[in-house]
Amino acid sequence: MNNVFSVTNSKGFVRAEEYFDNTVQSSNLSTYKIVEKGMFAYNPSRINVGSIALLDAEDKVIVSPLYVIFSIIGDLNPHYLLRFLKSDIGIALIRSNTSGSVRESLRFKELTRIFIPVPSLNVQKSIAEELDVVQDIIRGYAKKIEDLDNLARSIFLDMFGDVVGQAELGGHKVLAELGSLKNGLNYDKNESGYECKIIGVGAFKNRIYLDSLENIPTITLNAPPAKDYQIQEGDIIFVRSNGNKDLVGRCMEIRKVSEPLTFSGFCINFRKEDNSVLNQYLLHLLSDKSYKAAYILKSKGIGIQSINQKLIGNLPVPIPPLSLQQEFATKVEAIEKQKAWVREQLADAEMLMKERMQYYFS
């Protein structure tokens, strides 16, 4: 069997090669675990952020030997259990039972200690069905955003062609020639006196623009950060380091700074100082899958978990005519307006899910 899957907190079971854009599994699959329809699988180190899934769309798949797999017995509806474990109270109980000083992990023995409210099977089924409907709505909005992202990528490829091939031909600039780079702020959590917002890895999600600081966390420092640690509108932030390899190298433009804002030590800030490139073009270039594979992921192989200023500064940037970039910017801005509306609907649906799970499980 070569049906290798991974478990994500947002999409459940996904094919490994589709999720990671690279072959991440071992060539020897003899130690991989078999998951059959109706069984659960979870990553012991990421179940605390909801990375647990129930297999119901495939008959049989295999997963990394790092995963814990189990099935349930007795009067417990599997969909009800899944919704409980992904609810706020379920996540809180998982976190309170994890172990490990460096990276928290939940062994199966610890999972079995979690108390689960168990109404009648009919009530469980009714709750699970209601929450599954809301989840389908959430997936629908997420799919619309994904489709719009794919449309923007398609327009980029149609207008600018093979950017990797163009970069290899030469006649380009490197990113460091277009602006300045700065590693993020390291601070002590015991500092006090000055509050400001901070961009961390959690802000990126699946977007390349940030136009609201509403959900960005606040930290307290002894004094305002130095000027080069203060984010300005138009800055592009990169994920420098993260345990999730898929996040490393992602970038996002900060479009609105309505209050003091800095960025964490897990990030790198790029401030563009050359008007020969537009941010819309630059962001889509840096986010292009083939470009990332050639110039960011390729440099350190599949196991990459961090990048640095040198690597980012040496990224080749082909520079097409400004008029062509402006035409592209107009098209993608129209797409971004559509995405903004869909994101609002998605946020409402996610809030509804949170409220209903709180009602049933708290």
Side-chain angles (χ1 to χ4, degrees), residues 81 90 92 128 145-146 265 295 358:
L81 175 62
I145 293 174
E146 185 179 334
Y295 296 112
Q358 184 175 4

Side-chain angles (χ1 to χ4, degrees), residues 1 23 35 63 90 105 134 171 215 218-219 224 241 249 256 261 268 270 299 302 319 321 333 344 358:
M1 180 188 296
T23 303
V35 185
V63 295
S105 180
V134 180
N215 297 314
T218 299
I219 60 169
S241 177
K256 185 176 181 180
L261 180 66
I268 296 174
F270 171 73
S299 61
I302 294 169
I319 302 179
E333 287 301 323
E344 289 180 4
Q358 184 175 4

Side-chain angles (χ1 to χ4, degrees), residues 172-181 236 238 251 268-274 277 282-283 285-286 291 309-318:
H172 57 260
K173 292 184 178 181
V174 295
L175 196 65
E177 294 178 289
L178 301 174
S180 58
L181 294 157
I236 295 175
F238 289 84
C251 59
I268 296 174
N269 185 28
F270 171 73
R271 182 163 297 161
K272 186 169 67 69
E273 299 162 354
D274 187 317
V277 290
L282 192 56
L283 284 161
L285 171 71
L286 297 169
Y291 182 91
Q309 280 192 38
K310 182 178 179 181
L311 186 151
I312 294 177
N314 286 328
L315 292 175
V317 181

Side-chain angles (χ1 to χ4, degrees), residues 30-232:
S30 62
T31 61
Y32 276 52
K33 296 179 178 179
I34 297 175
V35 185
E36 298 183 347
K37 194 168 188 174
M39 297 179 71
F40 289 82
Y42 72 86
N43 182 334
S45 297
R46 289 188 55 77
I47 188 175
N48 58 353
V49 293
S51 286
I52 181 170
L54 170 68
L55 185 67
D56 56 7
E58 303 278 341
D59 289 329
K60 187 181 293 185
V61 303
I62 59 175
V63 295
S64 162
L66 295 176
Y67 284 97
V68 173
I69 62 173
F70 68 93
S71 56
I72 58 175
I73 57 175
D75 296 334
L76 190 58
N77 181 288
H79 291 274
Y80 172 85
L81 175 62
L82 180 67
R83 295 299 165 213
F84 174 78
L85 292 174
K86 292 174 80 70
S87 69
D88 286 349
I89 189 169
I91 294 293
L93 289 169
I94 286 169
R95 289 175 176 170
S96 68
N97 281 276
T98 54
S99 60
S101 57
V102 178
R103 189 171 187 183
E104 294 181 339
S105 180
L106 185 80
R107 295 170 297 184
F108 182 68
K109 179 175 67 175
E110 293 155 344
L111 177 64
T112 61
R113 295 174 182 159
I114 293 176
F115 175 78
I116 301 166
V118 184
S120 70
L121 271 173
N122 284 338
V123 171
Q124 290 179 52
K125 184 174 182 289
S126 176
I127 292 172
E129 287 176 348
E130 178 187 336
L131 297 180
D132 282 348
V133 169
V134 180
Q135 186 61 48
D136 286 342
I137 294 171
I138 290 172
R139 287 196 184 108
Y141 286 128
K143 180 64 166 56
K144 286 182 180 179
I145 293 174
E146 185 179 334
D147 289 343
L148 289 168
D149 284 337
N150 289 334
L151 175 59
R153 292 189 189 102
S154 177
I155 293 171
F156 180 84
L157 290 173
D158 286 343
M159 294 184 69
F160 303 110
D162 178 13
V163 289
V164 173
Q166 293 173 42
E168 290 175 350
L169 288 174
H172 57 260
K173 292 184 178 181
V174 295
L175 196 65
E177 294 178 289
L178 301 174
S180 58
L181 294 157
K182 177 71 177 178
N183 279 353
L185 180 72
N186 293 308
Y187 63 96
D188 190 325
K189 292 186 177 180
N190 295 320
E191 294 185 36
S192 62
Y194 180 85
E195 288 189 347
C196 70
K197 297 273 189 175
I198 187 166
I199 298 293
V201 177
F204 284 74
K205 303 186 185 300
N206 288 317
R207 56 189 170 200
I208 59 174
Y209 301 107
L210 182 68
D211 50 18
S212 171
L213 303 184
E214 183 179 353
N215 297 314
I216 301 302
T218 299
I219 60 169
T220 304
L221 304 172
N222 290 333
K227 192 171 182 179
D228 53 355
Y229 283 115
Q230 297 175 26
I231 292 177
Q232 299 177 8

